[in-house]
Amino acid sequence: MDVKPKLSLVIPVFNEVANLFVLYDRLGAVLKPLGVSYEIIFVDDGSTDNSWAFISELAKNDQQVRALSFSRNFGHMLALTAGLDAAHGEAVITLDADLQHPPELIPELVRAWQNGAEIVNSVRQDTVGAGIFKKVAADFFYWLMARLTKINLPANAADYRLLDRKVVETLKEMKERSRFLRGLISWVGYKQEHIPYQAAARFSGRTKYSFSKMLAFAVDGLASFSPFPLRLATYLGLLGSFSSFLYIIYAICVHLFTSQTIPGWTSVLVAVLFLGGVQLIFLGVIGEYLSRVFDEVKARPLYIVSRKIGL
Ligand code: UDP
Ligand code: MG
């Protein structure tokens, strides 16, 4: 099919074989009545189950299904990136494969786009079945991002959104490795709209975001958009220097005007250990930023595609 479709759907897939059929079915039910041409691009992020075989089977029977497969697991953000790179549509919708992003919202996204919005974000109201821990952690993260960065992330933004072709082209220009997409989306500007939706529980399987992946994601988001952790070292250093300066004056006065000496040992040891700890922490913080610079300088490809269908 050489005619450019109007709508591209980009779906990252990492071991989601049990969700794919229902997803495909519900997408079809929503997309066909819309009456616009579309393509569905599955990005297989190094799945080890039968996801790829299943997608190939779908593609055999449906011209509108395209797919690419990574040579290994590169992560959700890079899967989305590859999908955006491959998409042909005038508008691109990204959604998860686990049906937490209900396909039934697509007509609303498209309508907002047709009414002039260039980015249509979805904002989840409530995730059925999400643990309290995940909710609290997410709230804290969005609070922190709002305080520390200049970008304006809507709380509970999901990676379920529609992007106009213009926006997709802009994102393609941004080749940075740390792809905290919701941050980049907020950063690019454009006419944005937000549509609330009720997030469903995962249809099948477990979340692919372990605690450590979530933490890495959060650190990535923060480090890509805020130099504040680095600046914090300066502030703490200033505070430390200033208070020790006051203490020096106090110590000299005590020496000059009284016959006492200031007792030491414990306070010395505490101060040394505390400062040593703080210095190590900030060496770590510098390391975080430095390793990101190192990654950028190496300039390796963002992802490696091993197989393609219809692209
Ligand atoms: N995913 C991916 N690569 C990964 C992890 C996840 O492509 O390394 C996909 C996954 O298949 C799903 C989407 O990203 O379609 C969101 O993942 P998940 O549902 O596990 O995250 P959660 O909704 O729990 O935040
Ligand atoms: Mg999910």
Side-chain angles (χ1 to χ4, degrees):
M1 201 168 69
D2 282 326
V3 196
K4 291 218 159 112
K6 203 160 169 78
L7 212 57
S8 298
L9 280 91
V10 167
I11 305 173
V13 175
F14 181 46
N15 296 338
E16 305 280 10
V17 70
N19 295 317
L20 289 178
F21 187 72
V22 183
L23 174 67
Y24 174 72
D25 207 41
R26 275 171 63 182
L27 280 177
V30 170
L31 290 170
K32 277 177 197 133
L34 268 186
V36 297
S37 56
Y38 65 88
E39 62 179 357
I40 303 178
I41 301 178
F42 290 103
V43 182
D44 174 18
D45 185 13
S47 297
T48 49
D49 66 357
N50 285 325
S51 295
W52 180 253
F54 190 85
I55 293 167
S56 320
E57 209 51 47
L58 284 181
K60 255 184 220 152
N61 302 312
D62 186 345
Q63 283 279 301
Q64 279 140 331
V65 173
R66 290 112 199 263
L68 55 89
S69 162
F70 284 169
S71 59
R72 63 169 168 84
N73 180 254
F74 277 87
H76 185 192
M77 291 298 123
L78 289 173
L80 288 173
T81 303
L84 292 179
D85 289 345
H88 302 102
E90 280 168 46
V92 182
I93 296 178
T94 57
L95 76 162
D96 287 355
D98 60 2
L99 290 160
Q100 283 193 292
H101 300 158
E104 290 70 26
L105 196 71
I106 290 175
E108 244 180 280
L109 298 178
V110 172
R111 212 171 307 130
W113 172 59
Q114 284 166 339
N115 288 337
E118 289 157 315
I119 299 178
V120 190
N121 291 300
S122 75
V123 183
R124 63 174 175 260
Q125 298 302 75
D126 201 11
T127 306
V128 182
I132 182 88
F133 173 72
K134 202 160 183 170
K135 267 187 205 154
V136 171
D139 283 349
F140 175 66
F141 173 68
Y142 283 110
W143 176 82
L144 203 63
M145 287 296 282
R147 315 223 85 188
L148 298 188
T149 69
K150 292 198 187 74
I151 55 168
N152 189 11
L153 280 187
N156 294 322
D159 286 302
Y160 183 18
R161 61 171 75 82
L162 180 148
L163 304 173
D164 185 80
R165 172 62 27 204
K166 266 187 284 187
V167 183
V168 175
E169 292 305 319
T170 307
L171 286 175
K172 279 159 101 174
E173 298 282 302
M174 301 161 84
K175 283 295 173 203
E176 60 201 86
R177 255 119 269 273
S178 299
R179 302 196 73 79
F180 183 68
L181 264 179
R182 33 195 106 159
L184 296 182
I185 300 274
S186 158
W187 188 85
V188 294
Y190 288 108
K191 249 174 84 188
Q192 308 212 7
E193 197 155 315
H194 301 277
I195 292 187
Y197 77 102
Q198 195 80 24
R202 210 169 212 290
F203 183 72
S204 165
R206 293 185 44 186
T207 172
K208 307 296 184 300
Y209 273 96
S210 57
F211 177 70
S212 61
K213 258 192 186 175
M214 245 167 73
L215 197 65
F217 185 62
V219 170
D220 229 31
L222 203 60
S224 315
F225 287 95
S226 172
F228 182 78
L230 289 171
R231 225 169 271 153
L232 196 61
T234 316
Y235 296 153
L236 271 183
L238 283 175
L239 190 72
S241 311
F242 183 67
S243 33
S244 64
F245 179 71
L246 291 183
Y247 196 71
I248 291 170
I249 293 176
Y250 167 72
I252 292 175
C253 288
V254 168
H255 180 72
L256 289 182
F257 304 119
T258 71
S259 56
Q260 299 167 1
T261 42
I262 294 181
W265 216 106
T266 313
S267 53
V268 172
L269 197 68
V270 167
V272 167
L273 287 179
F274 176 74
L275 281 179
V278 168
Q279 282 174 354
L280 281 180
I281 291 173
F282 282 102
L283 270 181
V285 171
I286 295 173
E288 277 295 327
Y289 285 86
L290 190 63
S291 78
R292 271 154 236 278
V293 174
F294 184 46
D295 273 346
E296 296 291 344
V297 171
K298 280 186 287 187
R300 291 189 183 150
L302 289 176
Y303 53 82
I304 301 170
V305 174
S306 68
R307 289 169 291 193
K308 286 182 184 184
I309 301 175
L311 288 166

